[in-house]
């Protein structure tokens, strides 16, 4: 069986470095808010290209804390609107509604699966305070048009960078393109911890300070609580592991992109839509999405051939029970993506034989 994502193999690529880093933390006897976390925050901020990195418990917390900080800073208030792609993972939406803000769902483009910037301006109202772009599947969502609209209307630009670690946009990286960015280091991400972890990056010193306090029970100094905060901290073990993996991220993204290019250049089945070369130039392929109107058949066919796949994601946010109030929304592009998407193996631990096997099965499907 070709695994969709073999975390055992991926971790083994740097096992000695990881064990050494974990051993150093264990020997130190300091497991929270210590040297490993501080070092990772500095290194990741330098890598992303921002002045500040504040670590936290997970990617959802990173999103929630960013928005909560803006509320505490007086930039937003409950009832304000945040424009967001309709086809994102549920965490993006949860972060908005958890803060009493209103998500405004905008359709994606069919060719990129990213928010359609031609629909953005018509979604802006007097209550709009931010645009949250999601670099879904590891593909760049930001466009110059989005930046122009945010500047013209005085909106905050927030990046959900959970799936795009290391992605470049010209000379910059995602996570530094807007006013704030949230990062998830869930184990399956391109930069994955050995458990849950997250971070916020920004050039805004006030935002960084507010996020840090909110994540530490609302405290800026010990036993003094300015905000009604929460406990959301990256532990020293995860910081140490991420510090090791960060050193290899660009190289491993190159391998992912090499696998993706093999797929793009060699899959020629008319029943399937695979990403274009332009898509390839703007992605680090956290996910390699294949669109097929016979998605379930394709899934079963690949499984019978020994290839594990996943669906990202089977049900769009506006069709989830927790957002039943959106049940009457018609979002045809979003709904088509969620009905047709199938994710195939694409990661740094794959070998050429695995890739050729997947290509052969994709090309023989339905023939």
């Amino acid at each position: 069986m070709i695994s969709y994502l073999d975390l055992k193999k991926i971790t083994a690529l740097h096992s000695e470095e990881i064990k050494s880093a974990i051993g150093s933390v264990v020997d130190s006897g300091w497991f929270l808010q210590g040297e490993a976390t501080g070092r990772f925050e500095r290194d990741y901020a330098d890598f992303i290209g921002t002045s500040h990195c504040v670590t936290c418990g997970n990617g959802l917390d990173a999103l929630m804390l960013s928005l909560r900080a803006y509320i505490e800073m007086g930039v937003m208030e409950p009832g304000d609107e945040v424009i967001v792609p309709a086809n994102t993972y549920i965490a993006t939406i949860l972060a908005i509604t958890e803060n009493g803000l209103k998500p405004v769902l905008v359709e994606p483009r069919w060719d990129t699966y990213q928010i359609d910037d031609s629909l953005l301006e018509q979604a802006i109202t007097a209550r709009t305070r931010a645009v949250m772009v999601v670099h879904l599947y590891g593909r760049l969502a930001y466009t110059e048009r989005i930046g122009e609209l945010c500047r013209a209307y005085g909106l905050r630009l927030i990046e959900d960078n959970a799936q795009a670690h290391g992605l470049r946009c010209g000379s910059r990286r995602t996570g530094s393109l807007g006013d704030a960015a949230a990062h998830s280091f869930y184990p399956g991400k391109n930069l994955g911890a050995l458990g849950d972890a997250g971070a916020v990056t920004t050039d805004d010193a006030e935002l960084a300070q507010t996020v840090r306090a909110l994540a530490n029970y609302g405290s800026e100094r010990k036993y003094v609580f300015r905000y009604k905060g929460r406990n959301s901290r990256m532990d020293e073990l995860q910081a140490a592991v991420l510090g090791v993996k960060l050193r290899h991220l660009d190289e491993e993204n190159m391998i992912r992109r090499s696998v993706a290019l093999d797929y793009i250049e060699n899959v020629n089945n008319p029943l399937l839509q695979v990403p274009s070369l332009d898509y390839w130039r703007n992605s680090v392929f956290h996910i390699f999405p294949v669109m097929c109107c016979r998605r379930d058949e394709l899934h079963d066919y690949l499984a019978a051939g020994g290839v594990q796949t996943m669906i990202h994601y089977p049900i769009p946010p506006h069709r989830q029970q927790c957002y039943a109030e959106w049940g009457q929304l018609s979002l045809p592009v979003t709904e088509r993506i969620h009905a047709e998407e199938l994710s195939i193996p694409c990661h740094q631990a794959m070998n050429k034989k695995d890739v050729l096997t997947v290509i052969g099965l994709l090309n023989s499907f339905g023939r």
Side-chain angles (χ1 to χ4, degrees):
M1 171 67 73
I2 298 173
S3 299
Y4 172 72
L5 186 66
D6 193 328
L7 290 179
K8 184 176 181 180
K9 284 186 178 179
I10 288 173
T11 304
L13 294 172
H14 313 296
S15 60
E16 293 307 313
E17 288 180 83
I18 290 171
K19 290 174 183 176
S20 176
I22 290 174
S24 295
V25 172
V26 173
D27 291 343
S28 76
W30 194 288
F31 306 120
L32 280 171
Q33 297 178 308
E35 291 183 6
T37 302
R39 183 166 55 250
F40 177 73
E41 288 185 341
R42 293 189 297 274
D43 290 348
Y44 196 60
D46 288 344
F47 177 83
I48 293 296
T50 55
S51 302
H52 306 278
C53 169
V54 182
T55 53
C56 61
N58 55 67
L60 174 56
D61 279 2
L63 288 162
M64 290 173 57
L65 290 164
S66 299
L67 293 170
R68 171 73 185 281
Y70 278 129
I71 291 172
E72 296 292 350
M73 292 162 60
V75 174
M76 301 179 189
E77 62 183 30
D80 283 343
E81 297 172 356
V82 178
I83 293 173
V84 65
N87 63 317
T88 186
Y89 180 57
I90 197 73
T92 320
I93 309 294
L94 289 172
I96 298 169
T97 58
E98 181 70 11
N99 280 289
L101 302 167
K102 179 182 177 182
V104 176
L105 306 181
V106 171
E107 286 266 64
R109 287 175 46 162
W110 174 249
D111 58 336
T112 66
Y113 319 125
Q114 310 303 315
I115 193 167
D116 188 340
D117 61 6
S118 71
L119 303 177
L120 205 59
E121 190 165 21
Q122 67 195 53
I124 297 172
T125 73
R127 293 302 300 271
T128 306
R129 295 294 178 268
V131 175
M132 186 176 286
V133 295
V134 182
H135 305 295
L136 195 68
Y137 308 151
R139 204 277 184 191
L140 182 68
Y142 176 81
T143 67
E144 288 300 321
R145 179 60 176 160
I146 292 173
E148 290 168 1
L149 287 170
C150 287
R151 289 188 292 272
Y153 286 90
L155 308 177
R156 293 298 196 277
L157 176 59
I158 303 169
E159 298 173 78
D160 181 338
N161 200 51
Q163 300 186 7
H165 308 120
L167 178 60
R168 290 192 176 275
C169 177
S171 61
R172 302 172 69 185
R173 293 188 194 265
T174 56
S176 70
L177 305 178
D179 298 286
H183 309 254
S184 167
F185 304 118
Y186 179 79
K189 305 298 187 183
N190 290 37
L191 181 60
L194 300 187
D196 268 328
V200 175
T201 55
T202 183
D203 285 326
D204 186 333
E206 182 183 2
L207 179 70
Q209 181 179 359
T210 307
V211 168
R212 191 176 297 280
L214 287 168
N216 188 34
Y217 299 96
S219 174
E220 291 179 321
R221 59 191 178 92
K222 198 172 182 68
Y223 301 136
V224 178
F225 303 95
R226 181 174 179 179
Y227 310 107
K228 297 174 183 176
R230 60 193 300 131
N231 175 15
S232 181
R233 296 178 294 203
M234 179 188 291
D235 65 65
E236 287 284 281
L237 292 172
Q238 301 306 336
V241 170
L242 288 168
V244 171
K245 289 191 167 187
L246 180 60
R247 296 196 290 270
H248 302 282
L249 179 58
D250 281 338
E251 177 187 356
E252 293 186 345
N253 279 343
M254 286 177 63
I255 297 171
R256 283 176 176 264
R257 297 183 76 243
S258 177
V259 172
L261 188 59
D262 278 344
Y263 288 149
I264 291 168
E265 292 182 336
N266 293 289
V267 174
N268 53 25
N269 190 330
L271 295 174
L272 312 178
Q273 175 176 301
V274 298
S276 65
L277 279 173
D278 181 69
Y279 185 112
W280 176 83
R281 294 184 188 97
N282 293 283
S283 180
V284 289
F285 288 96
H286 169 60
I287 290 166
F288 189 100
V290 174
M291 299 294 161
C292 180
C293 62
R294 294 161 56 186
R295 193 252 317 275
D296 292 344
E297 290 180 54
L298 177 61
H299 167 273
D300 293 345
Y301 182 78
L302 291 172
V307 175
Q308 183 185 40
T309 59
M310 294 188 69
I311 298 171
H312 295 92
Y313 303 94
I315 305 172
H318 71 286
R319 292 284 187 249
Q320 297 287 352
Q321 184 176 350
C322 61
Y323 292 113
E325 66 271 24
W326 295 340
Q328 300 307 309
L329 285 178
S330 176
L331 297 165
V333 180
T334 293
E335 289 157 18
R336 184 180 177 190
I337 289 171
H338 285 259
E340 296 191 13
E341 195 276 340
L342 189 69
S343 306
I344 62 174
C346 183
H347 57 82
Q348 62 268 34
M350 293 184 73
N351 59 46
K352 194 69 172 180
K353 181 181 178 182
D354 291 341
V355 176
L356 291 174
T357 298
V358 176
I359 291 170
L361 286 168
L362 289 172
N363 283 334
S364 63
F365 173 69
R367 296 183 175 181

